[in-house]
Amino acid sequence: MITVYGEGRGFRVVWLLEEMGLAYRLRPVDMLAGVENDPEFLAINPAGFIPAIQDGDVTMVESIAIMEYLMARYGPTPLVPDPHDPAFGLYQQFLHLGEAGLAASIFFVIVAKILAPEAEQDNWGTRKALDTFKSRLKLVTRQLERTPYIAGERFTAADISVTYALQLAKRAAGFELAEIERAYVARAIARDGYKRAMDACGATKAWVASQGGE
Ligand SMILES: N[C@@H](CCC(=O)N[C@@H](CS)C(=O)NCC(=O)O)C(=O)O
């Protein structure tokens, strides 16, 4: 049985598991209560961030790496284009850009807004992080002008990666998405796999509901 520790970006992992129809259990990690009070989780990830997974003898962190592991270990799955498919390069690019370019940048804008003293919220670092998010988003927008999904005509795991980042920006940073991006997110989250993941991720569901959003 695969155990997923924590929601947050763990939502990507749960969404993927639901799309693949794999059995798992979600073990909550309460970041706000402080991971220092959760020695069982710290034994899994001493760096104290989520998500992590445990699958038999395998323990891993990093949501995109976890997704790649699960698809390689339990595939084949249509969520990954064949390496000879012309879509494969775009798939790889956006799978990683969803985290390294988008979520990782906007995350620092969000935590500054939530946790930093007011005088430190708007600083060079957070402005640079927001600019980085906006610049990477141009690649997403251009691709969506060409194809309905981020790597082409079909939904792939890269859409899980990018959709999560766009929703994070909208929900937690109040970032205004363009119509083409909003339509894309709506397409991705209309999937049954997304709905099942939302039902499984109680903390995410409650947070989204508290904001009156989808
Ligand atoms: N690149 C990592 C980012 C992980 C990350 O920053 N997770 C956040 C919550 S979604 C977290 O636990 N932050 C607390 C910390 O970094 O100490 C991934 O994709 O899994």
Side-chain angles (χ1 to χ4, degrees):
M1 173 73 86
I2 299 161
T3 302
V4 181
Y5 291 83
E7 296 184 26
R9 286 155 166 99
F11 186 85
R12 284 185 176 131
V13 176
V14 171
W15 187 357
L16 180 93
L17 287 162
E18 290 289 351
E19 293 281 351
M20 292 181 74
L22 296 172
Y24 66 94
R25 80 177 178 107
L26 179 60
R27 195 288 206 176
V29 176
D30 190 343
M31 299 299 286
L32 295 176
V35 279
E36 63 278 10
N37 302 313
D38 190 346
E40 187 187 273
F41 175 61
L42 285 179
I44 297 291
N45 180 11
F49 63 85
I50 56 172
I53 63 156
Q54 197 156 36
D55 179 23
D57 292 338
V58 176
T59 304
M60 283 184 73
V61 296
E62 288 295 339
S63 61
I64 306 302
I66 293 169
M67 289 168 72
E68 290 188 303
Y69 162 80
L70 291 171
M71 291 185 287
R73 172 78 177 75
Y74 297 104
T77 163
L79 295 168
V80 186
D82 184 272
H84 300 286
D85 185 321
F88 186 67
L90 274 181
Y91 162 80
Q92 280 289 323
Q93 172 186 299
F94 282 113
L95 179 68
H96 287 274
L97 186 135
E99 176 57 27
L102 295 175
S105 306
I106 205 70
F107 182 72
F108 286 101
V109 177
I110 294 163
V111 286
K113 193 172 128 190
I114 296 170
L115 300 174
E118 202 177 333
E120 292 180 46
Q121 286 178 6
D122 181 23
N123 59 45
W124 191 91
T126 53
R127 287 195 295 276
K128 180 68 184 166
L130 184 58
D131 285 349
T132 302
F133 175 86
K134 287 178 180 169
S135 89
R136 291 356 176 223
L137 189 60
K138 288 179 187 169
L139 286 154
V140 171
T141 310
R142 184 180 69 176
Q143 188 56 36
L144 294 177
E145 286 160 2
R146 297 172 175 169
T147 54
Y149 292 101
I150 207 66
E153 300 301 318
R154 286 192 303 109
F155 179 87
T156 66
D159 295 297
I160 295 178
S161 173
V162 171
T163 299
Y164 173 79
L166 297 186
Q167 287 194 299
L168 179 69
K170 188 182 95 187
R171 289 169 179 162
F175 189 85
E176 191 76 29
L177 297 174
E179 176 50 34
I180 196 165
E181 296 144 4
R182 286 203 299 271
Y184 164 67
V185 169
R187 238 180 341 269
I189 70 174
R191 297 177 68 81
D192 288 344
Y194 175 88
K195 292 176 189 156
R196 286 194 300 271
M198 206 46 147
D199 285 339
C201 290
T204 303
K205 192 173 183 175
W207 175 60
V208 173
S210 74
Q211 298 194 321
E214 82 253 343

mmCIF file with all atom_site columns, all heavy atoms in Angstrom, residues 1-6 14 17 22-28 40 52-54:
data_model
loop_
_atom_site.group_PDB
_atom_site.id
_atom_site.type_symbol
_atom_site.label_atom_id
_atom_site.label_alt_id
_atom_site.label_comp_id
_atom_site.label_asym_id
_atom_site.label_entity_id
_atom_site.label_seq_id
_atom_site.pdbx_PDB_ins_code
_atom_site.Cartn_x
_atom_site.Cartn_y
_atom_site.Cartn_z
_atom_site.occupancy
_atom_site.B_iso_or_equiv
_atom_site.pdbx_formal_charge
_atom_site.auth_seq_id
_atom_site.auth_comp_id
_atom_site.auth_asym_id
_atom_site.auth_atom_id
_atom_site.pdbx_PDB_model_num
ATOM 1   N N   . MET A 1 1  ? 0.853  -1.207 0.000  1.00 0.00 ? 1  MET A N   1
ATOM 2   C CA  . MET A 1 1  ? 0.000  0.000  0.000  1.00 0.00 ? 1  MET A CA  1
ATOM 3   C C   . MET A 1 1  ? 0.885  1.252  0.000  1.00 0.00 ? 1  MET A C   1
ATOM 4   O O   . MET A 1 1  ? 1.788  1.377  0.828  1.00 0.00 ? 1  MET A O   1
ATOM 5   C CB  . MET A 1 1  ? -0.904 -0.032 1.237  1.00 0.00 ? 1  MET A CB  1
ATOM 6   C CG  . MET A 1 1  ? -1.721 1.223  1.462  1.00 0.00 ? 1  MET A CG  1
ATOM 7   S SD  . MET A 1 1  ? -3.109 1.444  0.321  1.00 0.00 ? 1  MET A SD  1
ATOM 8   C CE  . MET A 1 1  ? -4.371 0.498  1.141  1.00 0.00 ? 1  MET A CE  1
ATOM 9   N N   . ILE A 1 2  ? 0.604  2.170  -0.899 1.00 0.00 ? 2  ILE A N   1
ATOM 10  C CA  . ILE A 1 2  ? 1.362  3.424  -0.975 1.00 0.00 ? 2  ILE A CA  1
ATOM 11  C C   . ILE A 1 2  ? 0.794  4.397  0.065  1.00 0.00 ? 2  ILE A C   1
ATOM 12  O O   . ILE A 1 2  ? -0.426 4.576  0.144  1.00 0.00 ? 2  ILE A O   1
ATOM 13  C CB  . ILE A 1 2  ? 1.222  4.043  -2.384 1.00 0.00 ? 2  ILE A CB  1
ATOM 14  C CG1 . ILE A 1 2  ? 1.793  3.088  -3.448 1.00 0.00 ? 2  ILE A CG1 1
ATOM 15  C CG2 . ILE A 1 2  ? 1.877  5.420  -2.453 1.00 0.00 ? 2  ILE A CG2 1
ATOM 16  C CD1 . ILE A 1 2  ? 1.302  3.365  -4.861 1.00 0.00 ? 2  ILE A CD1 1
ATOM 17  N N   . THR A 1 3  ? 1.678  5.021  0.843  1.00 0.00 ? 3  THR A N   1
ATOM 18  C CA  . THR A 1 3  ? 1.235  6.056  1.786  1.00 0.00 ? 3  THR A CA  1
ATOM 19  C C   . THR A 1 3  ? 1.716  7.405  1.283  1.00 0.00 ? 3  THR A C   1
ATOM 20  O O   . THR A 1 3  ? 2.898  7.576  0.965  1.00 0.00 ? 3  THR A O   1
ATOM 21  C CB  . THR A 1 3  ? 1.807  5.801  3.197  1.00 0.00 ? 3  THR A CB  1
ATOM 22  O OG1 . THR A 1 3  ? 1.389  4.508  3.629  1.00 0.00 ? 3  THR A OG1 1
ATOM 23  C CG2 . THR A 1 3  ? 1.306  6.850  4.181  1.00 0.00 ? 3  THR A CG2 1
ATOM 24  N N   . VAL A 1 4  ? 0.786  8.353  1.183  1.00 0.00 ? 4  VAL A N   1
ATOM 25  C CA  . VAL A 1 4  ? 1.117  9.739  0.817  1.00 0.00 ? 4  VAL A CA  1
ATOM 26  C C   . VAL A 1 4  ? 1.057  10.558 2.094  1.00 0.00 ? 4  VAL A C   1
ATOM 27  O O   . VAL A 1 4  ? 0.032  10.572 2.776  1.00 0.00 ? 4  VAL A O   1
ATOM 28  C CB  . VAL A 1 4  ? 0.110  10.311 -0.212 1.00 0.00 ? 4  VAL A CB  1
ATOM 29  C CG1 . VAL A 1 4  ? 0.493  11.742 -0.597 1.00 0.00 ? 4  VAL A CG1 1
ATOM 30  C CG2 . VAL A 1 4  ? 0.027  9.421  -1.444 1.00 0.00 ? 4  VAL A CG2 1
ATOM 31  N N   . TYR A 1 5  ? 2.149  11.245 2.398  1.00 0.00 ? 5  TYR A N   1
ATOM 32  C CA  . TYR A 1 5  ? 2.205  12.115 3.578  1.00 0.00 ? 5  TYR A CA  1
ATOM 33  C C   . TYR A 1 5  ? 1.958  13.559 3.156  1.00 0.00 ? 5  TYR A C   1
ATOM 34  O O   . TYR A 1 5  ? 2.770  14.148 2.444  1.00 0.00 ? 5  TYR A O   1
ATOM 35  C CB  . TYR A 1 5  ? 3.578  12.022 4.254  1.00 0.00 ? 5  TYR A CB  1
ATOM 36  C CG  . TYR A 1 5  ? 3.847  10.688 4.912  1.00 0.00 ? 5  TYR A CG  1
ATOM 37  C CD1 . TYR A 1 5  ? 4.307  9.608  4.168  1.00 0.00 ? 5  TYR A CD1 1
ATOM 38  C CD2 . TYR A 1 5  ? 3.621  10.517 6.274  1.00 0.00 ? 5  TYR A CD2 1
ATOM 39  C CE1 . TYR A 1 5  ? 4.538  8.383  4.773  1.00 0.00 ? 5  TYR A CE1 1
ATOM 40  C CE2 . TYR A 1 5  ? 3.856  9.283  6.885  1.00 0.00 ? 5  TYR A CE2 1
ATOM 41  C CZ  . TYR A 1 5  ? 4.308  8.236  6.130  1.00 0.00 ? 5  TYR A CZ  1
ATOM 42  O OH  . TYR A 1 5  ? 4.528  7.015  6.731  1.00 0.00 ? 5  TYR A OH  1
ATOM 43  N N   . GLY A 1 6  ? 0.840  14.094 3.602  1.00 0.00 ? 6  GLY A N   1
ATOM 44  C CA  . GLY A 1 6  ? 0.607  15.532 3.447  1.00 0.00 ? 6  GLY A CA  1
ATOM 45  C C   . GLY A 1 6  ? -0.098 15.896 2.157  1.00 0.00 ? 6  GLY A C   1
ATOM 46  O O   . GLY A 1 6  ? 0.080  15.250 1.118  1.00 0.00 ? 6  GLY A O   1
ATOM 47  N N   . VAL A 1 14 ? -1.919 12.608 -5.205 1.00 0.00 ? 14 VAL A N   1
ATOM 48  C CA  . VAL A 1 14 ? -3.219 11.955 -5.008 1.00 0.00 ? 14 VAL A CA  1
ATOM 49  C C   . VAL A 1 14 ? -4.019 11.967 -6.320 1.00 0.00 ? 14 VAL A C   1
ATOM 50  O O   . VAL A 1 14 ? -4.628 10.962 -6.704 1.00 0.00 ? 14 VAL A O   1
ATOM 51  C CB  . VAL A 1 14 ? -3.992 12.646 -3.862 1.00 0.00 ? 14 VAL A CB  1
ATOM 52  C CG1 . VAL A 1 14 ? -5.425 12.141 -3.784 1.00 0.00 ? 14 VAL A CG1 1
ATOM 53  C CG2 . VAL A 1 14 ? -3.270 12.415 -2.532 1.00 0.00 ? 14 VAL A CG2 1
ATOM 54  N N   . LEU A 1 17 ? -2.599 9.317  -8.527 1.00 0.00 ? 17 LEU A N   1
ATOM 55  C CA  . LEU A 1 17 ? -2.973 7.979  -8.039 1.00 0.00 ? 17 LEU A CA  1
ATOM 56  C C   . LEU A 1 17 ? -4.422 7.672  -8.402 1.00 0.00 ? 17 LEU A C   1
ATOM 57  O O   . LEU A 1 17 ? -4.746 6.541  -8.792 1.00 0.00 ? 17 LEU A O   1
ATOM 58  C CB  . LEU A 1 17 ? -2.766 7.898  -6.520 1.00 0.00 ? 17 LEU A CB  1
ATOM 59  C CG  . LEU A 1 17 ? -1.301 7.828  -6.070 1.00 0.00 ? 17 LEU A CG  1
ATOM 60  C CD1 . LEU A 1 17 ? -1.176 8.196  -4.597 1.00 0.00 ? 17 LEU A CD1 1
ATOM 61  C CD2 . LEU A 1 17 ? -0.730 6.433  -6.320 1.00 0.00 ? 17 LEU A CD2 1
ATOM 62  N N   . LEU A 1 22 ? -4.741 3.503  -8.549 1.00 0.00 ? 22 LEU A N   1
ATOM 63  C CA  . LEU A 1 22 ? -3.900 2.765  -7.601 1.00 0.00 ? 22 LEU A CA  1
ATOM 64  C C   . LEU A 1 22 ? -4.403 2.965  -6.174 1.00 0.00 ? 22 LEU A C   1
ATOM 65  O O   . LEU A 1 22 ? -4.893 4.043  -5.815 1.00 0.00 ? 22 LEU A O   1
ATOM 66  C CB  . LEU A 1 22 ? -2.449 3.261  -7.693 1.00 0.00 ? 22 LEU A CB  1
ATOM 67  C CG  . LEU A 1 22 ? -1.747 3.029  -9.037 1.00 0.00 ? 22 LEU A CG  1
ATOM 68  C CD1 . LEU A 1 22 ? -0.389 3.742  -9.060 1.00 0.00 ? 22 LEU A CD1 1
ATOM 69  C CD2 . LEU A 1 22 ? -1.563 1.534  -9.292 1.00 0.00 ? 22 LEU A CD2 1
ATOM 70  N N   . ALA A 1 23 ? -4.231 1.928  -5.354 1.00 0.00 ? 23 ALA A N   1
ATOM 71  C CA  . ALA A 1 23 ? -4.643 2.010  -3.947 1.00 0.00 ? 23 ALA A CA  1
ATOM 72  C C   . ALA A 1 23 ? -3.597 2.797  -3.155 1.00 0.00 ? 23 ALA A C   1
ATOM 73  O O   . ALA A 1 23 ? -2.395 2.640  -3.380 1.00 0.00 ? 23 ALA A O   1
ATOM 74  C CB  . ALA A 1 23 ? -4.803 0.613  -3.371 1.00 0.00 ? 23 ALA A CB  1
ATOM 75  N N   . TYR A 1 24 ? -4.048 3.622  -2.247 1.00 0.00 ? 24 TYR A N   1
ATOM 76  C CA  . TYR A 1 24 ? -3.132 4.413  -1.414 1.00 0.00 ? 24 TYR A CA  1
ATOM 77  C C   . TYR A 1 24 ? -3.858 4.806  -0.147 1.00 0.00 ? 24 TYR A C   1
ATOM 78  O O   . TYR A 1 24 ? -5.092 4.695  -0.058 1.00 0.00 ? 24 TYR A O   1
ATOM 79  C CB  . TYR A 1 24 ? -2.669 5.675  -2.169 1.00 0.00 ? 24 TYR A CB  1
ATOM 80  C CG  . TYR A 1 24 ? -3.783 6.649  -2.432 1.00 0.00 ? 24 TYR A CG  1
ATOM 81  C CD1 . TYR A 1 24 ? -4.045 7.715  -1.561 1.00 0.00 ? 24 TYR A CD1 1
ATOM 82  C CD2 . TYR A 1 24 ? -4.633 6.493  -3.535 1.00 0.00 ? 24 TYR A CD2 1
ATOM 83  C CE1 . TYR A 1 24 ? -5.099 8.600  -1.788 1.00 0.00 ? 24 TYR A CE1 1
ATOM 84  C CE2 . TYR A 1 24 ? -5.683 7.375  -3.759 1.00 0.00 ? 24 TYR A CE2 1
ATOM 85  C CZ  . TYR A 1 24 ? -5.913 8.422  -2.894 1.00 0.00 ? 24 TYR A CZ  1
ATOM 86  O OH  . TYR A 1 24 ? -6.965 9.287  -3.114 1.00 0.00 ? 24 TYR A OH  1
ATOM 87  N N   . ARG A 1 25 ? -3.074 5.269  0.821  1.00 0.00 ? 25 ARG A N   1
ATOM 88  C CA  . ARG A 1 25 ? -3.711 5.939  1.963  1.00 0.00 ? 25 ARG A CA  1
ATOM 89  C C   . ARG A 1 25 ? -3.039 7.288  2.130  1.00 0.00 ? 25 ARG A C   1
ATOM 90  O O   . ARG A 1 25 ? -1.838 7.440  1.830  1.00 0.00 ? 25 ARG A O   1
ATOM 91  C CB  . ARG A 1 25 ? -3.632 5.087  3.236  1.00 0.00 ? 25 ARG A CB  1
ATOM 92  C CG  . ARG A 1 25 ? -2.320 5.164  3.943  1.00 0.00 ? 25 ARG A CG  1
ATOM 93  C CD  . ARG A 1 25 ? -2.315 4.363  5.244  1.00 0.00 ? 25 ARG A CD  1
ATOM 94  N NE  . ARG A 1 25 ? -0.981 4.478  5.828  1.00 0.00 ? 25 ARG A NE  1
ATOM 95  C CZ  . ARG A 1 25 ? -0.690 5.195  6.897  1.00 0.00 ? 25 ARG A CZ  1
ATOM 96  N NH1 . ARG A 1 25 ? -1.614 5.846  7.562  1.00 0.00 ? 25 ARG A NH1 1
ATOM 97  N NH2 . ARG A 1 25 ? 0.559  5.277  7.339  1.00 0.00 ? 25 ARG A NH2 1
ATOM 98  N N   . LEU A 1 26 ? -3.838 8.265  2.547  1.00 0.00 ? 26 LEU A N   1
ATOM 99  C CA  . LEU A 1 26 ? -3.316 9.621  2.754  1.00 0.00 ? 26 LEU A CA  1
ATOM 100 C C   . LEU A 1 26 ? -3.128 9.823  4.243  1.00 0.00 ? 26 LEU A C   1
ATOM 101 O O   . LEU A 1 26 ? -4.081 9.679  5.015  1.00 0.00 ? 26 LEU A O   1
ATOM 102 C CB  . LEU A 1 26 ? -4.320 10.630 2.187  1.00 0.00 ? 26 LEU A CB  1
ATOM 103 C CG  . LEU A 1 26 ? -3.966 12.106 2.321  1.00 0.00 ? 26 LEU A CG  1
ATOM 104 C CD1 . LEU A 1 26 ? -2.653 12.436 1.622  1.00 0.00 ? 26 LEU A CD1 1
ATOM 105 C CD2 . LEU A 1 26 ? -5.096 12.963 1.733  1.00 0.00 ? 26 LEU A CD2 1
ATOM 106 N N   . ARG A 1 27 ? -1.895 10.139 4.622  1.00 0.00 ? 27 ARG A N   1
ATOM 107 C CA  . ARG A 1 27 ? -1.600 10.361 6.042  1.00 0.00 ? 27 ARG A CA  1
ATOM 108 C C   . ARG A 1 27 ? -1.427 11.870 6.210  1.00 0.00 ? 27 ARG A C   1
ATOM 109 O O   . ARG A 1 27 ? -0.459 12.455 5.695  1.00 0.00 ? 27 ARG A O   1
ATOM 110 C CB  . ARG A 1 27 ? -0.329 9.579  6.380  1.00 0.00 ? 27 ARG A CB  1
ATOM 111 C CG  . ARG A 1 27 ? -0.049 9.380  7.869  1.00 0.00 ? 27 ARG A CG  1
ATOM 112 C CD  . ARG A 1 27 ? 0.398  10.665 8.531  1.00 0.00 ? 27 ARG A CD  1
ATOM 113 N NE  . ARG A 1 27 ? 1.213  10.405 9.700  1.00 0.00 ? 27 ARG A NE  1
ATOM 114 C CZ  . ARG A 1 27 ? 1.776  11.356 10.402 1.00 0.00 ? 27 ARG A CZ  1
ATOM 115 N NH1 . ARG A 1 27 ? 1.622  12.645 10.073 1.00 0.00 ? 27 ARG A NH1 1
ATOM 116 N NH2 . ARG A 1 27 ? 2.531  11.060 11.421 1.00 0.00 ? 27 ARG A NH2 1
ATOM 117 N N   . PRO A 1 28 ? -2.362 12.533 6.913  1.00 0.00 ? 28 PRO A N   1
ATOM 118 C CA  . PRO A 1 28 ? -2.279 13.992 7.036  1.00 0.00 ? 28 PRO A CA  1
ATOM 119 C C   . PRO A 1 28 ? -1.007 14.439 7.751  1.00 0.00 ? 28 PRO A C   1
ATOM 120 O O   . PRO A 1 28 ? -0.511 13.741 8.640  1.00 0.00 ? 28 PRO A O   1
ATOM 121 C CB  . PRO A 1 28 ? -3.510 14.349 7.871  1.00 0.00 ? 28 PRO A CB  1
ATOM 122 C CG  . PRO A 1 28 ? -4.421 13.172 7.805  1.00 0.00 ? 28 PRO A CG  1
ATOM 123 C CD  . PRO A 1 28 ? -3.540 11.980 7.616  1.00 0.00 ? 28 PRO A CD  1
ATOM 124 N N   . GLU A 1 40 ? 6.962  11.055 13.726 1.00 0.00 ? 40 GLU A N   1
ATOM 125 C CA  . GLU A 1 40 ? 6.780  9.966  12.750 1.00 0.00 ? 40 GLU A CA  1
ATOM 126 C C   . GLU A 1 40 ? 7.018  10.500 11.336 1.00 0.00 ? 40 GLU A C   1
ATOM 127 O O   . GLU A 1 40 ? 7.678  9.858  10.519 1.00 0.00 ? 40 GLU A O   1
ATOM 128 C CB  . GLU A 1 40 ? 5.367  9.398  12.879 1.00 0.00 ? 40 GLU A CB  1
ATOM 129 C CG  . GLU A 1 40 ? 5.136  8.174  12.027 1.00 0.00 ? 40 GLU A CG  1
ATOM 130 C CD  . GLU A 1 40 ? 3.665  7.742  12.040 1.00 0.00 ? 40 GLU A CD  1
ATOM 131 O OE1 . GLU A 1 40 ? 3.298  6.985  12.948 1.00 0.00 ? 40 GLU A OE1 1
ATOM 132 O OE2 . GLU A 1 40 ? 2.907  8.153  11.147 1.00 0.00 ? 40 GLU A OE2 1
ATOM 133 N N   . ALA A 1 52 ? 5.510  13.589 0.924  1.00 0.00 ? 52 ALA A N   1
ATOM 134 C CA  . ALA A 1 52 ? 6.449  12.463 0.855  1.00 0.00 ? 52 ALA A CA  1
ATOM 135 C C   . ALA A 1 52 ? 5.603  11.229 0.575  1.00 0.00 ? 52 ALA A C   1
ATOM 136 O O   . ALA A 1 52 ? 4.388  11.253 0.770  1.00 0.00 ? 52 ALA A O   1
ATOM 137 C CB  . ALA A 1 52 ? 7.198  12.316 2.172  1.00 0.00 ? 52 ALA A CB  1
ATOM 138 N N   . ILE A 1 53 ? 6.243  10.193 0.092  1.00 0.00 ? 53 ILE A N   1
ATOM 139 C CA  . ILE A 1 53 ? 5.516  8.916  -0.018 1.00 0.00 ? 53 ILE A CA  1
ATOM 140 C C   . ILE A 1 53 ? 6.375  7.809  0.558  1.00 0.00 ? 53 ILE A C   1
ATOM 141 O O   . ILE A 1 53 ? 7.619  7.906  0.621  1.00 0.00 ? 53 ILE A O   1
ATOM 142 C CB  . ILE A 1 53 ? 5.125  8.508  -1.465 1.00 0.00 ? 53 ILE A CB  1
ATOM 143 C CG1 . ILE A 1 53 ? 6.365  8.287  -2.356 1.00 0.00 ? 53 ILE A CG1 1
ATOM 144 C CG2 . ILE A 1 53 ? 4.154  9.469  -2.076 1.00 0.00 ? 53 ILE A CG2 1
ATOM 145 C CD1 . ILE A 1 53 ? 6.097  7.363  -3.544 1.00 0.00 ? 53 ILE A CD1 1
ATOM 146 N N   . GLN A 1 54 ? 5.693  6.769  0.959  1.00 0.00 ? 54 GLN A N   1
ATOM 147 C CA  . GLN A 1 54 ? 6.373  5.520  1.309  1.00 0.00 ? 54 GLN A CA  1
ATOM 148 C C   . GLN A 1 54 ? 5.679  4.409  0.523  1.00 0.00 ? 54 GLN A C   1
ATOM 149 O O   . GLN A 1 54 ? 4.447  4.320  0.528  1.00 0.00 ? 54 GLN A O   1
ATOM 150 C CB  . GLN A 1 54 ? 6.275  5.270  2.800  1.00 0.00 ? 54 GLN A CB  1
ATOM 151 C CG  . GLN A 1 54 ? 7.276  4.241  3.261  1.00 0.00 ? 54 GLN A CG  1
ATOM 152 C CD  . GLN A 1 54 ? 7.610  4.404  4.736  1.00 0.00 ? 54 GLN A CD  1
ATOM 153 O OE1 . GLN A 1 54 ? 6.727  4.749  5.522  1.00 0.00 ? 54 GLN A OE1 1
ATOM 154 N NE2 . GLN A 1 54 ? 8.836  4.137  5.102  1.00 0.00 ? 54 GLN A NE2 1
#
